[in-house]
Amino acid sequence: MSDVAKMKEAAFPAPTVEEWEREAEKSLKGKPLERLVSMTYENIAVKPLYTRRDVEALGPLEQYPGFGQYVRGARPEGYRGGPWKVSQEISAASPSEWNEAVKHDLERGQTEIHFALGRLPFAVESVEDVAAMFDGVPLDRYSLRVDAGARSLSFLALLAAYLEERGVPLSSVRGAIGMDPLGAWAEQGTLPCSLLRLYDEMAEATMWAKDEMPAVRTMFVRGEPYHNGGANAVQELAFALAAAVEYIRAGLDRGLTVDDIATRMQASFAVGADFFMEIAKLRAARRLFAQVIEAFGGGESARRIELYVRTSPFTKTVYDPYVNMLRAAAEAFAAVVGGADGVHVSPFDEALGLADEFSRRIARNTQLILLEEAHVANVIDPAGGSYYVETLTAKLAEEAWKLFQRVEEQGGMAKALEAGFVQAEVEAVAKRRLDRVKMRKEKIVGTNVYANLEETPIEKPTQAAANELPPLDEKRMADIRSTLVSGNWVEAAIGAARRRATAREIAAALADGNTSIRIAPIRAWRLAEPFERLRKAAEKHAERTGSRLSVHLINIGPLVRHQARADFIAGLFAAGGVAAERSDGFASVAEAVEWVQSTSGTHYIVCGADDDYPAFVPALARAFKQAKPNAKLYVAGKPPEELENTYGAAGVDGSIHLGSNAYEVIVAFFAERGVALDGEVR
């Protein structure tokens, strides 16, 4: 047999898990393998390696999409039967500009018309506003997604009146015009009227749409209010699920069936930076919603929840904003692999203001590249069968169900929000995230690590203030109220819209006169905010004084001895907008002191190898304090306790090391330099 034939016949021996563990421990130089286990914000321990044993412990897995609890996908054919909706949320300064933007984007690959009423810079108050927005837009050819906030009936009436005037059949409209009063309550802390009245409106809109717009969903269950406040994946799932259960119960109490409700409900989630966790979250969401709807007696089609996903605003940054393109691409990939039915990709300048044509195009094309060039749609549930993803999906679903049950013990989602239970749960995780960001254990590229002090900021035009809205017409409101006694709220509202009643007048007429309970809102924030605040303070100081804040690095020995720590210190202070002035490597204390005297710094950090410090630092500190008694001197790295005491006695003011809270180090530096920090960070 030839050598080639022997090679073809040869088989590689399959190593056992135990053999891998032994080799891994060797590479750790005797440290236990547990050192490779990491804990997520969900308090899930992530192992370094997953094997068949892990999935066997889960029991039988779902093998095919479109069956069971839809973990592997809601449709048997996946995206092969039709790709996800490219559902970019569009905003613009005015209805006419919005109209231009949506027509432009639909011609270039967007497949769903999407906007949020509460995030538009202008109010959609009248049939004329709706006409200005949709002039020339073929609503019968594209699905529509409208996030109406706490209530949707007023907008639904304006849209229906507009469509009737244009001769467009109401039944041709498809997509979602949804309200999420619990989500709005969590975000804002208050509601325009009582929660019970909003449930009445939701039921009325759903019953009307069932007959007149059968392809339109009317209920949103949004996880974003919790995600944007810093919640983990377990919390986002559990609180969205609890809200869905509340809406199901409210609908059942008002005469709807569970199938009526579930088939007109859409769940939405934000997808963040933890790639595999976010894939697992979407798979777990389908399982959990199917489980709940089945428990209420829903049919098979009702158990297939529609999932809309948006890439996370929580992870986006003001500084080095082009990196947001990469963040959004990774998040969009996770959304598609997780089986989203519709996706919005954040424009890279989302944190800076209204997106322009360029940033919208990049965001839209991110989805189109995944579809057309990466061919992600060609495989159904590509993560299915992964030992890690399947284990993570099961663990997430299990933990989310436990938290959901705790919400139910509170009396449901509304009671849990009233009691502050939800807010406290989110705040606990948000604090952990914030602490890790400040310690730079949670890394934000371009912000708290690898900051670029020379970047050119993106200039955004100042957004004009919204036009003052006209006063309410009491006569029209009285007319609307008089027609409500007929019992059909939506038809009464549409009739009022035909007579040119405004959205606010319709909403006011529908209100029951009862106000909502005020609760503590879940404040939306971004991970990068603490360091962005420092950068802005440093920039204001530079504008006022004409010079950038800086620290001076006293480097010891040749480059190979001091570079690692000099780079570490420079990177840490750059995160706060502070430059590092580096010296050459000094061989003697006298050279270092001579350089110090030639500079005008206020804060100096000694950078070198641990072995060089004992002979150099004490003598340098004594000479330094004589030369510059009012300046501060630190060492890079954490010395042993006995050496730290020796250095302190010689005049060293402290040390800066990997365990230091970078944010607090910079804040202390600012305080010593008299730099004011404007605003508040959590």
Side-chain angles (χ1 to χ4, degrees), residues 499-510:
R499 297 188 298 274
R500 291 317 187 245
T502 66
R504 287 185 304 128
E505 288 166 349
I506 294 170
L510 289 167

Side-chain angles (χ1 to χ4, degrees), residues 333-466:
F333 185 32
V336 173
V337 172
D341 295 295
V343 178
H344 162 83
V345 174
S346 307
F348 72 88
D349 53 358
E350 181 179 62
L352 294 162
L354 282 179
D356 57 24
E357 183 182 330
F358 172 69
S359 60
R360 293 201 321 269
R361 176 168 63 86
I362 295 299
R364 183 177 64 252
N365 283 348
T366 298
Q367 298 203 51
L368 297 178
I369 286 172
L370 288 172
L371 177 64
E372 305 291 355
E373 296 187 23
H375 305 295
V376 178
N378 289 354
V379 177
I380 303 171
D381 188 24
S386 158
Y387 300 144
Y388 177 37
V389 174
E390 294 289 3
T391 304
L392 198 54
T393 300
K395 191 66 177 174
L396 266 182
E398 178 186 345
E399 294 302 315
W401 188 258
K402 290 177 184 175
L403 181 56
F404 161 72
Q405 289 177 316
R406 290 174 62 199
V407 174
E408 288 291 283
E409 289 167 6
Q410 299 274 327
M413 190 60 177
K415 294 291 185 185
L417 282 167
E418 255 183 73
F421 171 80
V422 173
Q423 295 90 324
E425 289 287 310
V426 172
E427 183 63 27
V429 177
K431 186 179 184 306
R432 284 172 55 201
R433 290 189 191 276
L434 188 64
D435 290 343
R436 285 179 57 81
V437 165
K438 289 181 174 181
M439 295 285 292
R440 300 203 305 166
K441 291 179 179 177
E442 179 91 5
K443 294 177 172 58
I444 307 171
V445 174
T447 299
N448 70 350
V449 294
Y450 309 117
N452 176 18
L453 296 183
E454 305 303 325
E455 71 174 278
T456 302
I458 293 176
E459 298 294 336
K460 282 283 182 181
T462 303
Q463 193 169 303

